[in-house]
Amino acid sequence: MRALIVDPGVAGGLRLGEAPDPVPGPGQLLVEVRHTSLNSAELYFAQRGAPGDVIGFDSAGVVVRGAADGSGPAVGSRVVGFGEGGGFGALRALDVADVAVVPDEVDLGEAATLPVAAGTALRALEQAGPLLGRRVLVTGASGGVGGFAVQLAALGGAYVIGVAGSEDGARWVGELGASEVVAGADEVKEPLDVVIDAVGGAQLVSAYGLLAPGGSLQSVGWAAGRDAVLPVGVTLGSSTPKAIVSVYNGGGLTDRQAQLRRLLALVGDGRLRVPVGWRGPWDRIAEAVAALSGRSLRGKAVLDVL
Ligand SMILES: NC(=O)c1ccc[n+]([C@@H]2O[C@H](COP(=O)([O-])OP(=O)(O)OC[C@H]3O[C@@H](n4cnc5c(N)ncnc54)[C@H](OP(=O)(O)O)[C@@H]3O)[C@@H](O)[C@H]2O)c1
């Protein structure tokens, strides 16, 4: 099959090439992939994978062979799914449990952005508890996870403050429905109930310091690639604890399909916008990688499989 394969010799570490077709297991569908999306973790794996590896998490396409055990969507169904690796191939074997049928009203390319980025945002917000009337800070709000987190928190009734590192990014985050946009967590003056932190480093330190008693910082990622050095004693001194909680939306979760269905329903009825900042054919992968790694990408990059 055609695939974006790891190649340490090219800019960005990925290029269009050939790879062996996947062989589905008994509980897996074979999907002809039409779209995938680029996530920041894939930049990491592109630099560290073996030459020829097919990495990638998100795929959307059409079922070309049903699962041998008879479970899951039939041949011809439009589906989106998640897997650990293999997402950048033109064919993909996906566990039935990690796949959801895409409603007709949802664009298949937009659906391809949901498993990792939107799924992680939803999981982090659910871990944080009720949102109605709460003050929620989203760091990395101009990015993939952040763009969904801003919207989902607003849908849940929160007062959402987005952090964006550029004027252009701030405009983008405002258009997604943030009540307020700041250039850094240190600009926030009032206490926060919830932090969805995709950046780590100094943003995590400032945001944790702003948490009200009982609040939580949901640690999604470390896009800044910097240590977070907490001031002495900052974790002490409240009778109502405040927490730093890890967020995991990778392989092995049992609620993936339910999560995808909920997100697809929100997109389908127009309540959740898919924030696509770049879309193009997959042979332009180097361009998409450069935008993501250079922080010029807003929201998600969708790659159309040719
Ligand atoms: N826990 C999980 O299961 C899970 C799932 C998905 C992603 N993640 C992690 O979550 C983080 C965000 O993922 P994403 O896909 O949303 O990434 P993304 O699209 O690149 O967004 C990250 C945002 O962080 C901001 N940022 C601030 N400092 C940065 C720096 N030094 N370098 C790069 N970006 C910086 C950027 O916004 P500005 O330029 O506007 O500041 C950027 O838009 C990543 O670390 C990723 O690995 C974790």
Side-chain angles (χ1 to χ4, degrees):
M1 65 172 177
R2 304 245 290 163
L4 292 174
I5 56 173
V6 171
D7 182 346
V10 302
L14 293 167
R15 69 166 169 83
L16 202 51
E18 296 284 327
D21 287 3
V23 180
Q28 289 191 314
L29 308 164
L30 187 66
V31 175
E32 189 180 277
V33 176
R34 303 277 167 83
H35 315 274
T36 182
S37 89
L38 188 62
N39 294 289
S40 58
E42 285 145 358
L43 303 186
Y44 176 90
F45 291 115
Q47 296 304 322
R48 286 160 187 83
D53 276 0
V54 183
I55 63 168
F57 301 111
D58 298 327
S59 301
V62 175
V63 177
V64 288
R65 195 185 313 157
D69 65 6
S71 62
V75 170
S77 305
R78 293 179 350 128
V79 294
V80 59
F82 169 92
E84 298 264 17
F88 290 167
L91 287 171
R92 193 172 195 198
L94 281 166
D95 289 350
V96 166
D98 288 329
V99 162
V101 172
V102 178
D104 290 346
E105 61 275 20
V106 176
D107 175 80
L108 208 47
E110 293 197 348
T113 68
L114 298 179
V116 172
T120 302
L122 180 58
R123 192 171 301 283
L125 288 164
E126 290 202 305
Q127 288 189 173
L131 297 173
L132 190 59
R134 305 254 190 232
R135 283 172 57 82
V136 175
L137 181 78
V138 178
T139 68
S142 71
V145 177
F148 285 112
V150 164
Q151 295 182 79
L152 291 169
L155 268 174
Y159 180 90
V160 184
I161 307 165
V163 181
S166 66
E167 271 182 32
D168 176 50
R171 236 185 336 271
W172 175 273
V173 174
E175 284 166 12
L176 291 176
S179 313
E180 211 180 300
V181 187
V182 294
D186 54 351
E187 289 185 9
V188 177
K189 300 294 172 233
E190 302 293 318
L192 299 165
D193 300 300
V194 174
V195 177
I196 305 299
D197 179 35
V199 173
Q203 297 289 328
L204 182 152
V205 174
S206 298
Y208 182 76
L210 283 159
L211 271 186
S216 71
L217 182 148
Q218 304 292 324
S219 179
V220 166
W222 291 75
R226 294 293 165 102
D227 292 340
V229 183
L230 294 170
V232 172
V234 74
T235 55
L236 305 176
S238 166
S239 59
T240 315
K242 47 186 203 170
I244 297 179
V245 183
S246 57
V247 178
Y248 175 76
N249 195 48
L253 296 168
T254 54
D255 61 348
R256 175 90 50 199
Q257 192 173 80
Q259 183 191 66
L260 284 171
R261 283 189 181 142
R262 287 171 65 198
L263 292 164
L264 286 162
L266 288 170
V267 174
D269 68 14
R271 283 187 291 163
L272 178 64
R273 188 177 122 204
V274 175
V276 177
W278 187 96
R279 184 165 177 168
W282 68 342
D283 57 356
R284 281 168 52 199
I285 180 66
E287 197 184 303
V289 167
L292 182 59
S293 56
R295 278 169 86 172
S296 63
L297 178 68
R298 306 287 165 247
K300 293 293 302 169
V302 174
L303 295 155
D304 300 321
V305 173
L306 299 173

